[in-house]
Amino acid sequence: MGRKTNQEIFEKISLICKGLFTKSRVRDIPEFVVPKENIIELEKRLKQDGFNMILDLFGVDFYDNQKLKDYAEVNSRFAIIYHFLKIPDNERIRVIVPVEDGESVPSSCSLFIGADWFEREVFDLFGIKFDGHPDLRRIFLPEDYEGYPLRKDFPTKGVKEYIGTKYTPNFVRLKDRNKKHTEPLDPFEEGSRMVVNVGPTHPATHGTFRMIFELEGEDIVGVDLEIGYLHRGVEKNSENMRWEDFIPMTDRLNYLSAYLNNMIYTEMIERWCGIWDDVPARAKFIRVILGELSRIADHCVSIGTMAVDLGALTPFWYLFRLREEIYTVFEWAVGARLTTSGTAFGGVRKDLDEKTINHINYIVDKLVPEVIRDVDGLLTKNRIFIDRTRGVGKISARDAIEWGFTGPSLRGSGVAWDIRKVAPYGLYEEFDFDVPVATEGDVYSRYLVRMEEMLQSARIVKQALKNLPDDGIMIKSDKFANIPRLPEKKYVYTQIEPLIHHFKGMVEGVVPPFGWYYFGGEAANGELGYFAISYGKRTPWRIRIRPPCFAIYQAFRHMVLGHKLADFVAVLGSINVIAGELDR
Amino acid sequence: MIVGTSEIVGLIIKAGIVLFLALNIVPIMVYAERKVSAFIQRRIGPEKIGIYGVIQPLADALKFILKEAFYPPGANKFFYYIGPMISVLSPLLAFMAVPLIPILQPIRTELSALVVIAFSSLGVWGLLLGGWSSDNKFSLLGALRSSSQFISYEVSLSASILAMLIIYGTFDFVKIVEMQGENIVKWGVLLNPLAFLTFFISALAESGRIPFDLPEAEAELVGGYHTEYSGMKFAMFFMGEFVHLALTSCVMIILFFGGWNMPFIRISSLLPPDYLFTPVLEYAIGFGVFSAKLLLLLGIFIFIRWTWPRFRFDQLIRFGWGTLILLSLISIVISAIIAVL
């Protein structure tokens, strides 16, 4: 099956959606500017054509920047940007909907249910309302918070000092279970239902987020999720820092596999600036090696904590032993264990030495198969474990795509969707590996997928180590003057010319070309994407992070409804929600 | 019944000894659990306090004692305090009727099996009262779970005990052990393996440990019935659990593993018949054999705990009422056939 080029997709969509858009062009992907009245009709036609996922939905505030408005070809202060994705053809288009302050946009929830939380996020951070949204509340910030932080005129310190966490639950309920309860109840009313609050500090919430359950006996009949306890305003902060200063911020997204976040972010900037081909192969190999190791570490935590929540404490220790060894590698190869910041624009910060390579070899040859075998023996065929996980938290492939699932959770539902395979980035096209798929879509499937993925990652690392080239770890090209190739320190201290270069390099940093760019890669939980807007200055105009577990966690409500209280921990463990990535 | 002073003194001494032994199971179990779990999980375990960390349980106890005696503001104080006491007292009382060796049975009665069942069943009151009175939803859920779980498994536990009693034809633990003798063919585990199986599983469930630790399932219920407990009151629940485990193990040894009898060899045949201390030595060896069996069983319990995941509540109840009770009833039938033959 030949993959369509952007131009072909552009022509096809132009034909299908004729008359609905005002402007159109092909940039990194085809783009269409659509007035907000037409967005629902456009979505309907896209859906007919097979576009089945809203990958991302976010707002942009152009404020008074006429140049950016011209670039986007909109004439309003805000724009809402939709990324549509077609699985499994990997066709992507971008739709830009101009919005003025105070206007509202029709909600996409009726067509793409996965837009639910994304729209709430836009409402929360930009104050743009969505008509027809079933549950339009603020999502990260307390409901009585003043101001919309991602607007450009919002002061970084806030409109006024705020202390408190006002939150009104709005339950998603199980329909038709018990006739007398079909009408909405006051959630805290005394009755046959018991409202149990779980989190933000609870043994089963690995991270800080809150779940409120309505129980009938042990059955979950209503759920509400509150997130935002770890909202640090990463996207807002990014507007006040240089492009390379954002690398450490990416560590704090999915902090279990920080290296993958670094890797995808740096690769985005490199591809955007057009220097990707000049990055030395050794650096790319090192990125793949460390990235896959951190994917193994991430899956270790995911499986281990799920097992702990199911009462099996021992697999957790086996897996954490493996993770510990991987972190030792990170300590030697990068210098940090958890928050690696290991990549730099144009390469990696530190080379792998002999000791590290030997240790990585030991890990992928010996330790990973051994640990997987042990955990496999304890869990995979264990009757109790199977009873606890099979058929629990089930989600069909269709629903999973609609909710915006990516990564192991989607593959657990039977969709062989892995960006490393369908649109190889990094150097993944050079390695031989399989994409594991399980068909059931329950907790057990996701567990199996993760287990197999660890072995596949080890396979990739093995191949990469075997063919590790030797051409330096930092870009040498002079084509790209923007990347500061810093002179060596001894010259900086003694000569004027290097000093000037050093100074300019440090102060100005990297400035990507004017405009915007999207790049997504396969992080441990799914597609982690960065959408960035550069306005020609040394700080970004906006960096949007597409977090994989944000889309997955919104479906959690529907995955646990009707199950027992004890099941929610299994489901939560299997989708691996990381609060740092969820809240940003 | 007229009892003399010497009998009362003897009773008190015996009770004191049994109490001492039963409570000393707790530090041994705490240490063994830590060390065995560390071994299973490839950790080192406690090693700083004493040689190989043997004094660790003492340090734990000290920590429990020194904690603030806190109780939640909304709690019903009386029940909150009495809960842990019941849960530790009931297995201790039941221990009084368990003969570790023939002379060491403070409540010397023909109906020792009934006494043990009666007292050990009281333990669930402690969990129920403690969980209900501490004014916490997790505690309440844990207490509800524990009461329904323990009551469900009590049935199959008692049924499998009954199956053995039918075979032996007596309620008296001493007589049961003497009937089994050193010949392992006559041991309960070979007479009726099915009853042993059901008893073992029910005992596991009654002890509230993995895979049956739903009352305190820490993942979803934080701490279950003891969420709001700390310090010595928490330690009492803890002790209650361990003593209960030791109690069921003792009963298991008596019913199925020949009590203080050494397999294949009669203890008295090892000793010179006319030596002055022969009876004392016989009891000492018997006690040693019993302890060895007990430690072995407890070790198996510990291994199970660190290997398996936990059941879900509905699966647990379905297993209890659906499979286990059926099996234990079948084991009664088997016993009846054996008894008739």
Side-chain angles (χ1 to χ4, degrees):
Chain A
M1 188 180 67
R3 194 148 278 137
K4 286 201 175 76
T5 61
N6 276 339
Q7 195 60 39
E8 285 167 350
I9 299 169
F10 174 71
E11 278 158 16
K12 189 184 74 176
I13 301 296
S14 308
L15 211 64
I16 293 173
C17 302
K18 208 167 166 57
L20 293 179
F21 54 87
T22 52
K23 300 270 173 24
S24 63
R25 68 253 162 179
V26 181
R27 289 216 173 102
D28 52 335
I29 52 178
E31 290 182 353
F32 301 90
V33 180
V34 178
K36 60 185 168 47
E37 301 82 27
N38 291 347
I39 181 70
I40 295 294
E41 180 59 28
L42 179 98
E43 282 174 5
K44 271 182 194 154
R45 294 196 193 169
L46 285 179
K47 210 169 178 184
Q48 271 169 10
D49 185 57
F51 280 87
N52 40 16
M53 184 191 284
I54 286 195
L55 184 70
D56 204 355
L57 193 166
F58 53 93
V60 174
D61 181 6
F62 297 116
Y63 202 47
D64 54 357
N65 194 325
Q66 194 53 43
K67 255 178 103 184
L68 269 180
K69 284 182 190 172
D70 292 344
Y71 178 81
E73 298 182 89
V74 297
N75 211 3
S76 59
R77 176 173 169 186
F78 298 104
I80 296 177
I81 299 186
Y82 297 70
H83 281 165
F84 289 97
L85 172 63
K86 187 188 211 175
I87 290 178
D89 296 349
N90 194 27
E91 294 178 10
R92 290 158 191 260
I93 61 163
R94 181 178 298 139
V95 171
I96 299 138
V97 177
V99 194
E100 273 302 339
D101 197 0
E103 287 183 347
S104 59
V105 181
S107 164
S108 312
C109 283
S110 52
L111 287 161
F112 294 92
I113 189 71
D116 186 352
W117 277 15
F118 289 101
E119 287 181 352
R120 279 179 67 187
E121 191 188 333
V122 174
F123 170 68
D124 188 2
L125 302 179
F126 286 93
I128 297 166
K129 288 203 173 63
F130 287 87
D131 292 333
H133 189 285
D135 180 25
L136 198 63
R137 292 173 291 156
R138 301 197 89 142
I139 189 162
F140 295 138
L141 302 170
E143 58 193 47
D144 55 350
Y145 191 80
E146 264 182 48
Y148 302 103
L150 279 186
R151 291 188 174 195
K152 285 282 173 184
D153 52 0
F154 182 85
T156 324
K157 61 179 182 185
V159 174
K160 66 173 191 189
E161 199 171 312
Y162 180 84
I163 301 167
T165 53
K166 191 167 188 297
Y167 182 76
T168 316
N170 181 10
F171 289 90
V172 173
R173 289 203 172 76
L174 199 61
K175 299 271 179 346
D176 301 328
R177 180 179 180 83
N178 195 337
K179 283 286 180 243
K180 68 179 180 205
H181 284 315
T182 40
E183 73 276 12
L185 286 171
D186 175 7
F188 296 105
E189 181 195 337
E190 299 284 322
S192 67
R193 291 181 177 197
M194 182 164 165
V195 177
V196 174
N197 176 63
V198 174
T201 53
H202 183 275
T205 58
H206 310 292
T208 43
F209 39 89
R210 179 174 168 216
M211 291 161 270
I212 311 167
F213 292 116
E214 278 188 334
L215 300 180
E216 264 177 21
E218 291 250 341
D219 294 342
I220 298 171
V221 293
V223 200
D224 187 38
L225 307 175
E226 187 192 354
I227 64 172
Y229 288 90
L230 214 59
H231 181 63
R232 299 146 297 178
V234 170
E235 290 176 8
K236 181 74 179 175
N237 279 336
S238 75
E239 293 166 13
N240 292 318
M241 49 177 59
R242 298 180 313 157
W243 289 90
E244 54 265 63
D245 292 347
F246 191 65
I247 296 177
M249 303 293 279
T250 62
D251 288 340
R252 277 93 181 152
L253 297 175
N254 183 349
Y255 36 75
L256 296 179
S257 51
Y259 203 91
L260 285 167
N261 307 343
N262 303 154
M263 181 180 162
I264 295 166
Y265 176 69
T266 15
E267 185 163 344
M268 174 193 84
I269 300 289
E270 284 157 3
R271 281 181 186 272
W272 190 7
C273 299
I275 54 158
W276 171 246
D277 295 331
D278 302 319
V279 176
R282 187 178 176 88
K284 292 178 183 170
F285 268 72
I286 291 175
R287 282 185 194 174
V288 168
I289 291 168
L290 296 181
E292 290 307 311
L293 282 179
S294 67
R295 190 187 308 277
I296 295 175
D298 188 292
H299 287 352
C300 279
V301 179
S302 171
I303 296 171
T305 50
M306 182 178 81
V308 167
D309 289 347
L310 294 178
L313 208 57
T314 303
F316 172 80
W317 290 100
Y318 292 169
L319 289 162
F320 263 56
R321 176 169 155 249
L322 170 58
R323 180 176 181 253
E324 195 62 31
E325 296 296 336
I326 291 174
Y327 276 3
T328 309
V329 167
F330 275 110
E331 204 176 325
W332 293 344
V334 178
R337 291 165 67 82
L338 192 73
T339 50
T340 51
S341 304
T343 57
F345 296 152
V348 293
R349 289 202 193 279
K350 202 160 171 269
D351 202 356
L352 298 181
D353 56 13
E354 198 60 34
K355 186 175 76 166
T356 317
I357 290 179
N358 288 340
H359 201 65
I360 298 174
N361 264 322
Y362 159 72
I363 287 174
V364 291
D365 286 341
K366 277 264 193 45
L367 203 57
V368 172
E370 185 191 314
V371 168
I372 298 272
R373 192 198 62 214
D374 287 350
V375 175
D376 215 38
L378 278 169
L379 291 180
T380 308
K381 293 239 169 64
N382 186 309
R383 190 71 230 167
I384 301 174
F385 182 74
I386 293 175
D387 282 349
R388 284 297 306 273
T389 53
R390 197 169 269 175
V392 173
K394 231 175 152 143
I395 190 152
S396 68
R398 201 191 139 89
D399 286 351
I401 290 173
E402 206 137 280
W403 278 109
F405 277 42
T406 42
S409 303
L410 183 59
R411 293 193 280 277
S413 290
V415 184
W417 176 260
D418 188 329
I419 304 170
R420 291 176 298 172
K421 273 277 188 225
V422 293
Y425 63 99
L427 273 181
Y428 282 111
E429 70 272 18
E430 296 203 356
F431 301 112
D432 181 29
F433 66 100
D434 299 325
V435 178
V437 173
T439 49
E440 292 299 312
D442 52 11
V443 175
Y444 191 63
S445 302
R446 290 190 279 274
Y447 158 78
L448 289 179
V449 166
R450 283 213 163 83
M451 288 289 271
E452 182 58 33
E453 240 170 60
M454 285 162 78
L455 287 175
Q456 295 298 336
S457 292
R459 220 173 118 195
I460 296 175
V461 175
K462 254 187 249 178
Q463 295 168 36
L465 277 179
K466 207 187 285 170
N467 310 321
L468 197 61
D470 200 10
D471 58 348
I473 55 164
M474 208 57 193
I475 191 164
K476 292 196 183 68
S477 158
D478 284 330
K479 269 194 291 184
F480 191 73
N482 263 334
I483 292 259
R485 285 195 297 113
L486 298 180
E488 280 183 52
K489 269 283 158 70
K490 59 177 177 185
Y491 301 125
V492 174
Y493 291 141
T494 50
Q495 299 173 13
I496 187 68
E497 198 79 349
L499 180 67
I500 292 170
H501 280 297
H502 188 272
F503 180 77
K504 273 184 78 72
M506 290 312 283
V507 170
E508 285 175 358
V510 175
V511 183
F514 187 92
W516 58 43
Y517 194 80
Y518 175 84
F519 178 75
E522 185 79 12
N525 274 337
E527 173 159 352
L528 174 75
Y530 295 97
F531 176 88
I533 305 178
S534 162
Y535 67 122
K537 300 278 165 58
R538 63 202 178 99
T539 58
W541 181 261
R542 167 141 166 72
I543 291 183
R544 157 71 187 174
I545 301 153
R546 194 266 168 192
C549 66
F550 187 72
I552 297 172
Y553 189 48
Q554 57 179 340
F556 174 76
R557 294 167 291 178
H558 298 268
M559 287 155 87
V560 295
L561 268 185
H563 284 301
K564 300 271 183 271
L565 179 64
D567 286 330
F568 91 84
V569 291
V571 179
L572 194 65
S574 75
I575 58 179
N576 192 21
V577 180
I578 310 291
E581 188 179 69
L582 193 68
D583 296 347
R584 281 156 286 139
Chain B
M1 191 167 66
I2 300 160
V3 267
T5 321
S6 63
E7 283 182 26
I8 292 178
V9 171
L11 185 71
I12 290 174
I13 291 174
K14 279 181 191 172
I17 293 173
V18 171
L19 202 66
F20 176 76
L21 291 176
L23 284 178
N24 267 315
I25 289 286
V26 177
I28 293 173
M29 276 298 281
V30 169
Y31 181 70
E33 188 123 66
R34 285 184 167 219
K35 270 299 187 194
V36 172
S37 70
F39 165 70
I40 293 176
Q41 296 167 349
R42 299 188 179 201
R43 294 183 286 118
I44 299 167
E47 57 155 8
K48 296 279 187 249
I49 312 172
I51 307 158
Y52 295 111
V54 281
I55 319 178
Q56 183 70 39
L58 211 65
D60 289 351
L62 197 67
K63 183 190 136 203
F64 280 133
I65 292 168
L66 292 179
K67 282 216 166 180
E68 184 193 353
F70 164 85
Y71 70 94
N76 183 326
K77 218 171 160 185
F78 177 71
F79 290 125
Y80 180 78
Y81 277 101
I82 211 168
M85 293 180 194
I86 293 177
S87 107
V88 73
L89 268 183
S90 78
L92 280 179
L93 282 174
F95 245 115
M96 295 300 155
V98 175
L100 302 179
I101 44 175
I103 51 161
L104 208 58
Q105 188 187 19
I107 309 178
R108 180 79 192 89
T109 158
E110 295 279 298
L111 300 175
S112 40
L114 278 187
V115 174
V116 168
I117 294 176
F119 276 131
S120 71
S121 308
L122 284 180
V124 68
W125 279 99
L127 314 189
L128 193 55
L129 289 178
W132 170 75
S133 66
S134 45
D135 189 32
N136 180 321
K137 285 174 179 173
F138 293 120
S139 299
L140 180 61
L141 279 172
L144 289 175
R145 278 182 178 187
S146 60
S147 55
S148 50
Q149 171 183 340
F150 288 160
I151 288 167
S152 310
Y153 281 81
E154 200 83 37
V155 179
S156 53
L157 187 80
S158 308
S160 40
I161 293 181
L162 188 63
M164 294 321 288
L165 298 181
I166 290 173
I167 292 183
Y168 298 129
T170 173
F171 282 94
D172 190 344
F173 278 159
V174 178
K175 276 189 193 146
I176 288 175
V177 173
E178 276 164 2
M179 279 168 77
Q180 293 181 66
E182 73 283 349
N183 185 0
I184 61 163
V185 180
K186 286 187 180 170
W187 284 11
V189 64
L190 291 178
L191 285 176
N192 193 343
L194 189 63
F196 169 69
L197 189 72
T198 51
F199 184 90
F200 188 82
I201 296 171
S202 315
L204 206 57
E206 284 288 298
S207 66
R209 291 160 65 87
I210 282 177
F212 299 101
D213 71 332
L214 286 113
E216 50 182 305
E218 61 181 10
E220 63 259 24
L221 293 188
V222 190
Y225 59 85
H226 62 55
T227 305
E228 296 285 353
Y229 281 90
S230 66
M232 217 43 215
K233 296 186 289 297
F234 170 74
M236 276 192 214
F237 274 131
F238 207 62
M239 282 155 66
E241 185 190 315
F242 279 136
V243 175
H244 197 282
L245 189 67
L247 174 75
T248 42
S249 303
C250 288
V251 174
M252 202 184 300
I253 291 167
I254 288 168
L255 287 176
F256 298 99
F257 292 104
W260 51 84
N261 288 308
M262 210 187 272
F264 304 118
I265 306 160
R266 178 166 283 275
I267 294 172
S268 52
S269 69
L270 291 174
L271 299 164
D274 47 358
Y275 183 51
L276 179 64
F277 293 112
T278 296
V280 178
L281 278 177
E282 201 179 324
Y283 284 139
I285 293 175
F287 182 72
V289 171
F290 197 101
S291 310
K293 288 175 181 172
L294 182 64
L295 289 180
L296 204 67
L297 266 182
L298 291 177
I300 293 174
F301 277 122
I302 293 178
F303 262 80
I304 289 176
R305 165 159 186 186
W306 297 105
T307 313
W308 280 352
R310 172 190 306 128
F311 276 111
R312 204 171 59 206
F313 188 62
D314 57 325
Q315 293 167 345
L316 174 102
I317 296 295
R318 196 178 307 131
F319 180 66
W321 286 101
T323 316
L324 210 56
I325 288 185
L326 189 70
L327 285 179
S328 57
L329 290 179
I330 293 174
S331 76
I332 290 182
V333 174
I334 294 174
S335 290
I337 295 170
I338 294 173
V340 169
L341 292 178

